[in-house]
Amino acid sequence: LETPSGTSVPLQVGDTRAWFVLDRLQAEQERTYQIEPGAMSGTEVGLRKAGATVDISVGDTPVLRYWVKPRPVPPGVDSIYERGGYLHPVRTPSGRVVTGDYPDDHKHHHGLWSAWTETRFRGRAPDFWNMGSGTGEVQVMALDSTWSGPVQAGLTARHRYVDRMGPAPVTALYEEWTLRVYRVSTGGERPDYRLFDLTVAQTTASNSPLILPEYRYGGVAVRGPDAWYGSDNARFLTSAGRTRADGNRSRGLWNYFGGTVGGKRAGIAMLGHPTNFRAPQPLRIPEKMPYFTFAPSQLGQWRIAPGRPYAARYRFVTFDGPPDPARLDGLGGDYASPPTVTVQPAD
């Protein structure tokens, strides 16, 4: 994309859409570009597949890893906790890791993952979150597609929720992840945050619904590093200004979660899209454990039924240093109400 003055912005074309990121555009402002052929941008969002994993980086700096195959359990950990289909490690711009995996206190916590806890399926109660019970499991079915380019890289992958309580394992739910990692740097400068989007779409695998009773946690969750364990070692801040002390079961547009990594502050924020079911969704923020989740089941029983799929959209921001509420409010506004784009033929 090129302005009349010669300023250019990389444009990445894929399928029926094209992607670009502007450094700044105030509300009610307009900007006009001409679509022109040009050389590939020198700073790309790269993707590398390596057997069990997909790694995405911006330039030569890693951002996150998706586990296509189950990550082997650490020595001494029961293989029942082995799982794939999640993100870990997730990093800040300086490379600090803000996720944890297979922690000693809750071995079923896996970086950035999705699972339902309290469920009812065909008269049974499989638990897809607490893997140690052996009643439910989330498996990777396939890595369907990957892409990379000057603006964003990502993947689509399919998972299945397997009920293990019956005479034989049966799939209760299909899940599709769509992940996009963006290049948000401008003018060759190193950005002060990383940004990626995750869309989770779930459909029933049969004519049987998955019923989700009221419960305090379950959904898309983030586990922090072990060093953040304890009431004083992790910091929480919601869009409503709440903290760990009063944020549990509150509702927010975003939630920040951070602590010390390598002697310096680092964190990750999760922004919920306003179209999500029961948005703004309530939060599960425990007293000591370094994790959180947006948990729609806190507001009462609901179901994922045949012909009535469930979709949830979240934006994640990682950064070094303390949280910047104004920046997160702005990024949340960008996510909820992106600029309108009109494409016209050239004169």
Side-chain angles (χ1 to χ4, degrees), residues 115-130 133-137 161-166 170-173 209-213:
W116 296 116
T117 313
E118 187 77 7
T119 76
R120 300 292 183 270
F121 179 71
R122 295 181 179 176
R124 301 184 291 269
D127 184 342
F128 304 101
W129 178 289
N130 295 288
S133 68
T135 62
E137 180 182 7
Y161 286 52
V162 180
D163 170 15
R164 294 191 170 278
M165 296 190 71
V170 58
T171 300
L173 200 68
L210 183 71
I211 300 170
L212 295 118

Side-chain angles (χ1 to χ4, degrees), residues 29 49 147 271:
Q29 287 187 348
K49 292 186 286 185
W147 61 87
L271 290 63

Side-chain angles (χ1 to χ4, degrees), residues 15 29 37 59 65 67 103 105 113 134 137 141 150 158 170 188 200 211 228 236 266 283 316 322 335:
D15 299 326
Q29 287 187 348
R65 169 175 291 172
W67 285 89
D105 65 309
W113 82 105
E137 180 182 7
M141 296 175 63
R158 281 178 291 135
V170 58
V200 176
I211 300 170
W228 294 1
F236 293 84
L283 284 157
F316 296 87
Y335 188 38

Side-chain angles (χ1 to χ4, degrees), residues 37 39 52 147 175 197 242 291:
W147 61 87
E175 176 179 84
D197 289 347
R242 295 179 180 270
Y291 95 94

Side-chain angles (χ1 to χ4, degrees), residues 195-243:
L195 189 149
F196 61 94
D197 289 347
L198 177 65
T199 299
V200 176
Q202 298 177 337
T203 57
T204 57
S206 66
N207 290 327
S208 301
L210 183 71
I211 300 170
L212 295 118
E214 181 177 342
Y215 202 69
R216 63 186 182 276
Y217 62 89
V220 177
V222 181
R223 171 75 193 208
D226 288 347
W228 294 1
Y229 191 92
S231 57
D232 297 328
N233 293 328
R235 296 290 184 268
F236 293 84
L237 181 66
T238 77
S239 59
R242 295 179 180 270
T243 65

Side-chain angles (χ1 to χ4, degrees), residues 245-304:
D246 60 355
N248 188 44
R249 303 189 73 90
S250 69
R251 302 171 74 172
L253 302 176
W254 53 259
N255 181 57
Y256 159 85
F257 171 48
T260 301
V261 181
K264 295 186 177 181
R265 288 282 297 275
I268 181 170
M270 182 175 178
L271 290 63
H273 198 273
T275 60
N276 286 349
F277 176 62
R278 292 177 170 171
Q281 293 176 330
L283 284 157
R284 165 61 173 166
I285 299 177
E287 294 181 357
K288 293 184 178 181
M289 284 183 291
Y291 95 94
F292 76 92
T293 178
F294 281 104
S297 294
Q298 285 187 11
L299 298 179
Q301 179 170 294
W302 59 291
R303 65 177 56 200
I304 303 171

